[in-house]
Amino acid sequence: MAGSGRRRDFNEFNAKLEKHIEKLPDYAQRAQEKLQRYFPPADEAGGKTAEKPSPPKRPAPPVVRRTAVPTAFAQVAGQVPAVAEARAKWQRWNEPAAKHQRRITRTSRVLTLWLLITIFLGVLTVLAGTGLMGAGGTDVAQTVLAGFGTVVFGTFSVRTGLKLRQLKKLELPQASSAAPPPLPPAASAAREPMERLAESEASLGELLRQLSVPTSLGTTTVPEVSVADARATAQEAARALRGLAARIQAIERGRNSAPERERGALDAAVAKLREQLDDGIEGFGSLVAAAGRAVAASSDGMGTSKQALTDATDHLAGLALALRDLS
């Protein structure tokens, strides 16, 4: 009886176990559903976990860009003749030569002051030592003090004189990198030609500097005399062209103040001078091109570079002479 009871219990346990095994897929499915509530499944497209949609962000306020007031003011101020003239005066004031001259002037004034004080104390020493200042005879204390002051200020005078001598002997180098003259206003007919002239001057300076450098053999393709002649002619032509540009600006200022019926003749005069200015800039460009060909031919030893530079220099010299007569 006991054996049959144990067998029945085992059969019941086996049946319950089979039922639980059959329900295992349901348990696994429920567990997976609960797990998905806390950990969403991976996205099929990108492999990233699906995120909850974030709330819409507020649009950022527009960034208000402030205009560069100092830069704009500098650009506008450069076109005003009075401001350009003031800037040119300030640049001339800060030039090394002008500063050196002011130092000489100050030193000369200080030397004059020391000399006057020394002479005064010297006379006072003589008068006090000889007893001419008072009826009581020689004043020793006053004589000593005046003599000491004479020696002190005499020393100052000597040192200041030596300093003044050194300043006068000092030779300042030529300001090769001086600031270019201010350009005409943007509305002027001479503005664009003067910009081209400034670029041509910079290019010509670099080309002539390269022509002045000797080769490995110690010689130059173009003689130094030709290079110096071209440089001097270019400077003379640039001065003449700037004089012509100044004449155009003067006519333009007069045109702006003239009555309406008289502006046509002034416009025609400005147009004629502009043509002459363009011809001068073109001639200056020919000299730049000749210098460029000379630099390019320096490595080949071609003899045509010297002749081309000489011809362009002569042409520009004649053109500068004509422009100088006009301005």
Side-chain angles (χ1 to χ4, degrees):
M1 294 295 294
S4 61
R6 292 177 180 177
R7 186 178 300 171
R8 189 182 303 113
D9 293 340
F10 180 76
N11 292 334
E12 293 178 358
F13 177 76
N14 189 15
K16 293 180 179 180
L17 182 60
E18 289 179 357
K19 290 180 180 180
H20 286 294
I21 292 174
E22 291 176 357
K23 293 180 179 180
L24 279 178
D26 297 336
Y27 295 152
Q29 185 177 0
R30 292 176 184 177
Q32 185 176 4
E33 292 177 355
K34 291 183 178 181
L35 185 63
Q36 288 178 355
R37 292 178 183 177
Y38 298 98
F39 301 97
D43 190 12
E44 295 179 359
K48 297 181 180 179
T49 58
E51 297 180 356
K52 293 182 179 180
S54 58
K57 296 182 180 180
R58 296 180 180 178
V63 180
V64 180
R65 296 183 178 180
R66 299 180 179 179
T67 57
V69 178
T71 305
F73 178 75
Q75 294 176 353
V76 175
Q79 301 176 2
V80 180
V83 177
E85 184 179 358
R87 182 181 298 175
K89 290 182 178 179
W90 176 256
Q91 291 176 353
R92 290 194 298 268
W93 174 267
N94 289 326
E95 287 180 356
K99 291 182 178 179
H100 183 68
Q101 185 61 36
R102 291 197 296 270
R103 289 184 62 187
I104 292 177
T105 304
R106 288 195 300 266
T107 306
S108 179
R109 292 175 180 176
V110 172
L111 176 60
T112 302
L113 178 62
W114 292 154
L115 288 175
L116 291 176
I117 296 176
T118 303
I119 293 172
F120 174 75
L121 291 177
V123 173
L124 185 62
T125 302
V126 173
L127 294 177
T130 56
L132 297 177
M133 291 188 61
T138 304
D139 190 350
V140 179
Q142 192 173 6
T143 303
V144 172
L145 289 177
F148 179 75
T150 303
V151 173
V152 171
F153 285 98
T155 304
F156 289 165
S157 301
V158 172
R159 295 186 61 180
T160 307
L162 294 176
K163 182 179 179 180
L164 180 61
R165 183 181 179 184
Q166 292 177 357
L167 288 175
K168 289 184 176 181
K169 286 185 176 181
L170 181 62
E171 295 182 0
L172 296 178
Q174 297 293 332
S176 57
S177 59
L183 293 174
S188 175
R191 176 62 180 258
E192 192 267 340
M194 288 298 98
E195 291 179 347
R196 290 161 50 195
L197 176 62
E199 295 177 357
S200 298
E201 282 183 315
S203 302
L204 181 63
E206 178 62 23
L207 291 171
L208 294 180
R209 187 191 65 81
Q210 294 185 8
L211 287 176
S212 301
V213 177
T215 60
S216 58
L217 300 177
T219 59
T220 55
T221 306
V222 178
E224 185 64 27
V225 177
S226 300
V227 175
D229 191 14
R231 184 179 290 109
T233 303
Q235 293 175 357
E236 181 66 23
R239 284 193 295 267
L241 291 171
R242 288 193 171 92
L244 188 58
R247 188 177 179 183
I248 291 176
Q249 295 178 67
I251 297 176
E252 289 174 343
R253 288 191 294 267
R255 178 196 58 190
N256 296 334
S257 303
E260 188 67 27
R261 63 179 181 275
E262 298 180 2
R263 293 185 179 182
L266 296 178
D267 288 335
V270 169
K272 183 178 180 180
L273 292 177
R274 172 62 191 268
E275 292 179 359
Q276 296 174 356
L277 186 59
D278 289 335
D279 292 339
I281 298 298
E282 185 178 358
F284 200 98
S286 299
L287 180 60
V288 176
R293 290 193 298 267
V295 173
S298 60
S299 59
D300 300 333
M302 297 173 61
T304 58
S305 58
K306 175 185 175 181
Q307 187 63 33
L309 184 62
T310 303
D311 294 342
T313 302
D314 294 340
H315 175 70
L316 185 60
L319 188 60
L321 182 61
L323 292 174
R324 186 175 55 186
D325 293 339
L326 287 174
S327 58

